[in-house]
Amino acid sequence: PFNTDKGQHILKNPGVVNAIVEKSALKSTDTVLEVGPGTGNLTVKMLEVAKTVIACEIDPRMIAEVNKRVMGTPLQTKLQVNGGDVMKMEWPFFDVCVANLPYQISSPFVQKLLLHRPLPRYAVLMFQKEFADRLVARPGDKDYSRLSVNVQLLAKVEMLMKVKRTEFRPPPKVDSAVVRIAPKNPPPPVNFVEWEGLLRLCFMRKNKTLSAIFKLSNVIEIIEDNYRKVCSFKNKPVPKDLNMKQVIEDTLTASGYAEGRARKMRVEDFLALLLAFNKADIHFL
Ligand code: SAM
């Protein structure tokens, strides 16, 4: 009956369902966005505490199931089901997002969530355990990666609970974990294109020193190319004897991050590094 292509693994343990709803700390004034209500185990519990639940579900059979569950009860008027692919539909206004997500959309979903406006208060989301570990990893942890830094630039991330695969029917191949993502509001003023460009370089070899990475000839080439574009845009002459390798090395040394390694650097370190480069007209476009 369940379609595992759509990530249909239903939470069977009411204790786990209750724990998720409890940790979501919903208020009676909250509009909740739920993604993939499935048969409605979480939905019904949330309807009991929140003002409204807007549930986005792709599978018509599940839509029928969750509607049937509240039909004729006082909860019926608080539920709105939006049929379709949550990644393709326009999102409504919501205060909090709670979801036991299909795992194949984890990464694009988090991205869409953090770009959504107005920003929600927070999201409580079930992910594959490995993905959750990468989201919450701190500098120096083995799972610390570009994903950790990108998400932690924009949000406070916290592990809430681990959930064994046996709590689902049918059981998925891996364990899960519930994470709370609270967007920073207002978000830090960063040019995301440059931020992403810098992180890609720094995490290219996450154990190497930045000084080693920024000595690579293809890296220098990209930076020099950008440098020339920025100079032309600013109507600033490019020095005849431009030695980009040296400029980069000097900037890195002055910033104090030459011997830094991406796997140990905090969000604040990457922000300071980007600022130092930008001040020297070095951009990552
Ligand atoms: N919330 C239920 C629970 O905890 O028992 C079911 C969760 S199940 C892991 C994921 C649900 O998301 C399924 O009901 C599936 O049909 C739905 N789904 C899968 N892809 C979707 C998408 N792109 N947009 C909306 N819903 C989707």
Side-chain angles (χ1 to χ4, degrees):
F2 295 119
N3 184 334
T4 42
D5 285 349
K6 295 197 183 81
Q8 287 176 348
H9 301 281
I10 303 299
L11 252 178
K12 279 297 164 187
N13 184 341
V16 177
V17 172
N18 286 335
I20 293 175
V21 176
E22 222 162 86
K23 285 177 190 285
S24 299
L26 301 173
K27 299 185 195 166
S28 59
T29 49
D30 279 340
T31 295
V32 180
L33 177 74
E34 186 188 3
V35 182
T39 55
N41 293 343
L42 269 168
T43 323
V44 173
K45 290 281 170 211
M46 295 199 290
L47 284 168
E48 285 166 8
V49 284
K51 175 167 149 244
T52 311
V53 175
I54 304 173
C56 303
E57 174 58 62
I58 201 168
D59 186 342
R61 295 174 314 156
M62 293 297 183
I63 295 174
E65 189 89 8
V66 67
N67 273 325
K68 198 171 84 189
R69 227 166 137 169
V70 295
M71 204 181 293
T73 76
L75 301 180
Q76 187 175 359
T77 54
K78 300 168 101 187
L79 174 66
Q80 177 189 326
V81 183
N82 291 356
D85 182 340
V86 72
M87 295 312 295
K88 294 188 182 142
M89 62 173 81
E90 199 177 316
W91 290 7
F93 168 86
F94 59 97
D95 299 289
V96 176
C97 174
V98 180
N100 173 6
L101 287 177
Y103 295 142
Q104 48 283 26
I105 67 171
S106 299
S107 191
F109 183 84
V110 170
Q111 197 172 351
K112 188 167 161 124
L113 178 83
L114 293 173
L115 293 175
H116 181 73
R117 297 292 182 273
L119 281 165
R121 215 159 65 235
Y122 50 80
V124 172
L125 306 172
M126 175 98 71
F127 295 112
Q128 186 172 323
K129 168 83 170 38
E130 281 71 18
F131 187 82
D133 285 340
R134 285 166 58 212
L135 282 180
V136 304
R138 307 300 304 166
D141 289 354
K142 101 173 158 11
D143 295 311
Y144 194 60
S145 63
R146 213 149 54 80
L147 177 74
S148 329
V149 188
N150 271 329
V151 173
Q152 290 172 33
L153 169 74
L154 298 174
K156 198 170 157 256
V157 195
E158 186 190 344
M159 180 73 78
L160 292 181
M161 58 195 275
K162 316 236 160 102
V163 183
K164 286 249 165 273
R165 66 192 83 179
T166 47
E167 306 285 13
F168 300 88
R169 200 147 316 149
K173 291 196 177 70
V174 292
D175 291 332
S176 296
V178 181
V179 171
R180 187 182 127 114
I181 300 178
K184 296 179 188 167
N185 202 355
V190 190
N191 177 329
F192 296 118
V193 176
E194 288 217 45
W195 171 262
E196 184 61 25
L198 174 66
L199 284 195
R200 269 182 198 285
L201 291 180
C202 294
F203 276 96
M204 210 163 57
R205 310 256 189 283
K206 75 168 180 173
N207 291 314
K208 277 220 157 110
T209 62
L210 296 187
S211 141
I213 291 174
F214 283 90
K215 266 188 200 128
L216 298 170
S217 56
N218 54 330
V219 173
I220 297 170
E221 232 168 82
I222 297 169
I223 292 178
E224 178 159 346
D225 207 46
N226 282 332
Y227 181 84
R228 288 180 187 279
K229 279 184 196 140
V230 170
C231 284
S232 122
F233 181 75
K234 283 186 165 178
N235 254 329
K236 188 180 143 177
V238 177
K240 268 216 160 52
D241 53 349
L242 173 70
N243 181 346
M244 202 69 229
K245 188 177 180 185
Q246 195 61 52
V247 176
I248 297 170
E249 200 180 315
D250 293 346
T251 311
L252 253 183
T253 306
S255 76
Y257 291 110
E259 296 310 306
R261 292 166 209 268
R263 65 176 169 83
K264 286 198 171 165
M265 288 171 64
R266 304 163 305 157
V267 165
E268 296 74 30
D269 296 322
F270 288 109
L271 283 170
L273 178 63
L274 181 57
L275 193 68
F277 274 133
N278 284 175
K279 278 194 176 143
D281 281 328
I282 295 173
H283 291 269
F284 303 88
L285 302 164

